[in-house]
Amino acid sequence: MYANIEKIKNVINEKGLTGQAVISIDGPCGGGKTTLANEIEKNFAYNILHMDDFYLPFQKRDKNWMNIIAGHMDFDRLVETVLIPYKNKQKTNYISYDCHSDKYLQEIPIDLDKILVIEGSYTSHPRLDEFVNLKIFVDIDEGKQKERLTKRNPNVVDKFLSMWVPFENNYFNTLNIKGNSDLVLMV
């Protein structure tokens, strides 16, 4: 992981990112996005925002959401409650959402003096382009991904492999997410 932190540090320096900037960490489930974000937080003391906190509640999803790229994500709430205020240097908090309980949970503050890292699948969606200064894509081969997903939660691995992995792959391929990234890291 240290080598990846050094690569990120170099790109941050090359781009001159200081103060208010937004970094996205995207990639397949099981690829290590959250682990990388936690390492970044330890090494740089940045804000870390988890895209999982911005799932759309079930009652707000379009009935055909599975046919819409990222149809389960609440980009509007992310943009309106976090990214616009952050860009305008206005104090902001957001409320995390838990899709398992279908409930909003706790209020989380954003420190305006720190770079904001948004980690999770769909963080490099074009809807967020005007706010993101650096796009990182964390990639993983299929075998390793299956191994990690099985270890993480063996009871739902088949659902992830048959539903979520193809759903994410459609997003990555249709929108050329990896190709449009500033930095690609292989796990």
Side-chain angles (χ1 to χ4, degrees):
M1 194 61 72
Y2 180 76
N4 287 336
I5 293 296
E6 284 302 308
K7 287 178 186 175
I8 292 167
K9 186 185 223 177
N10 290 338
V11 174
I12 288 171
N13 289 335
E14 286 170 17
K15 286 187 157 272
L17 299 180
T18 59
Q20 287 193 303
V22 178
I23 299 171
S24 69
I25 302 175
D26 208 327
C29 56
K33 298 176 298 290
T34 304
T35 301
L36 180 59
N38 291 337
E39 285 297 310
I40 289 172
E41 185 176 35
K42 281 195 290 190
N43 283 275
F44 300 107
Y46 292 168
N47 292 294
I48 304 295
L49 182 148
H50 304 283
M51 196 64 181
D52 289 356
D53 289 342
F54 289 88
Y55 282 132
L56 266 171
F58 294 103
Q59 70 276 13
K60 291 185 177 182
R61 293 181 189 179
D62 187 280
K63 65 180 178 176
N64 297 316
W65 69 270
M66 284 295 296
N67 296 320
I68 301 167
I69 291 175
H72 62 305
M73 302 310 300
D74 197 345
F75 292 117
D76 290 340
R77 186 167 69 90
L78 174 59
V79 168
E80 292 166 14
T81 64
V82 177
L83 297 176
I84 290 174
Y86 179 79
K87 183 178 181 177
N88 293 328
K89 299 181 182 184
Q90 297 170 338
K91 185 177 177 184
T92 187
N93 300 316
Y94 71 92
I95 299 175
S96 64
Y97 172 76
D98 176 52
C99 68
H100 301 291
S101 64
D102 194 25
K103 293 181 184 172
Y104 289 99
L105 301 176
Q106 63 188 14
E107 193 168 350
I108 300 172
I110 300 292
D111 187 337
L112 297 175
D113 295 324
K114 294 180 181 179
I115 287 177
L116 175 62
V117 176
I118 307 172
E119 73 81 21
S121 296
Y122 312 103
T123 59
S124 293
H125 191 281
R127 174 72 170 89
L128 307 178
D129 278 354
E130 71 179 280
F131 302 99
V132 176
N133 305 96
L134 172 63
K135 293 181 181 183
I136 300 171
F137 189 86
V138 180
D139 206 356
I140 188 169
D141 69 61
E142 288 179 28
K144 197 170 191 178
Q145 181 185 37
K146 183 177 180 180
E147 180 183 305
R148 284 185 173 186
L149 292 174
T150 301
K151 188 176 182 181
R152 181 191 291 175
N153 198 336
N155 298 327
V156 296
V157 69
D158 290 335
K159 183 177 183 178
F160 266 88
L161 295 173
S162 65
M163 182 176 136
W164 290 112
V165 170
F167 192 69
E168 284 184 348
N169 286 340
N170 183 45
Y171 155 71
F172 299 137
N173 295 329
T174 302
L175 300 176
N176 191 24
I177 299 301
K178 183 177 178 179
N180 289 322
S181 295
D182 299 298
L183 178 63
V184 176
L185 303 172
M186 190 70 182
V187 179

